[in-house]
Amino acid sequence: MTPDNPVGTPADPPVLTDFTDGVAQLTLNNPRRKNAISLEMAALINEFCDRVDADDTLGAVVVRAAGSYFCSGADTRDLANSSSDPASPEAVSRTSAVYGAFVRVGTLPVPTIARVAGGAVGAGLNLALAADLMVVTPDAVLDSGFLGRSIHPGGGHLALLGRAIGWSGTIALAACGQSLTGTEAVARGLAYTAVPESELDSVISGLTTPAAADPELTRRIMRSARLELGPPAVSWSSALEIERGVQMWSMARKGQSAWSSRGPGR
């Protein structure tokens, strides 16, 4: 899949997008700063999410980055400006814009997959955790990063870590300054799988192709998953009722004649 805009020219926007075969791809394109997220990039991410929300032919999203590093966090120039008066309306607006873009990614109506090579730190880890699945290289470094910069985590960082690796893992990363390799992240449940960088795109294609083949069904599955699993999660009995009507819709759509006694799912 090739972004709409080719990489490498000075006129390149800092976020590239592509919409092909039911898969939407967002590429962070700020490699000189390890793809640190600027306010301009946050606005472009929101525009991308607007299109995904509105286009029912899209069944999956991939978030990736140009260069060898996924994302080093929020742009330090914006953080420096905000630090002069963190409670000012301007500072609150800056941080809210960046974190709000991540919330948009994390609540899209289709499965989102973060392609993480090199590393993800601070707000960059937030972006990777906002995705539904993280596919990483074994040597990628996943680092909370906030403690190392002597600031408190932001953007729901603790909640994002907690839903993936629980209390002790969250405290180890956020309060004790530990980090995880891609391989360790998979073992702890933070990432879905770790493969060499040369295999990342193939693995991701294997995930997005089935999701994009039936966007309507995929979107309904994701709606139910977000209702049931949260955060916050619901009880099993509530999950049964959430799924009941949508499963009935899918069965009616399939029709009696489409079922076969031969083979699973037929």
Side-chain angles (χ1 to χ4, degrees), residues 116-150:
V116 179
V121 178
L125 183 56
N126 279 6
L127 176 58
L129 289 169
D132 300 303
L133 300 173
M134 194 189 310
V135 178
V136 301
T137 56
D139 59 351
V141 177
L142 306 178
D143 186 355
S144 172
F146 291 97
L147 185 69
R149 286 181 171 167
S150 300

Side-chain angles (χ1 to χ4, degrees), residues 59-207:
V61 162
V62 178
V63 180
R64 56 187 299 151
S68 59
Y69 200 92
F70 178 71
C71 183
S72 59
D75 194 309
T76 54
R77 294 170 296 190
D78 292 329
L79 291 173
N81 290 333
S82 296
S83 293
S84 62
D85 185 3
S88 70
E90 294 79 9
V92 172
S93 177
R94 278 193 292 267
T95 55
S96 295
V98 173
Y99 292 140
F102 298 169
V103 172
R104 289 294 309 281
V105 171
T107 54
L108 285 172
V110 299
T112 54
I113 301 168
R115 181 191 188 278
V116 179
V121 178
L125 183 56
N126 279 6
L127 176 58
L129 289 169
D132 300 303
L133 300 173
M134 194 189 310
V135 178
V136 301
T137 56
D139 59 351
V141 177
L142 306 178
D143 186 355
S144 172
F146 291 97
L147 185 69
R149 286 181 171 167
S150 300
I151 60 175
H152 190 283
H157 184 72
L158 300 175
L160 289 169
L161 282 173
R163 71 179 185 177
I165 55 175
W167 173 269
S168 61
T170 298
I171 300 307
L173 267 68
C176 298
Q178 303 303 297
S179 62
L180 297 174
T181 65
T183 299
E184 291 170 336
V186 172
R188 304 287 180 85
L190 192 70
Y192 175 67
T193 190
V195 296
E197 187 167 7
S198 61
E199 299 177 19
L200 285 176
D201 292 337
S202 176
V203 169
I204 290 172
S205 178
L207 294 166

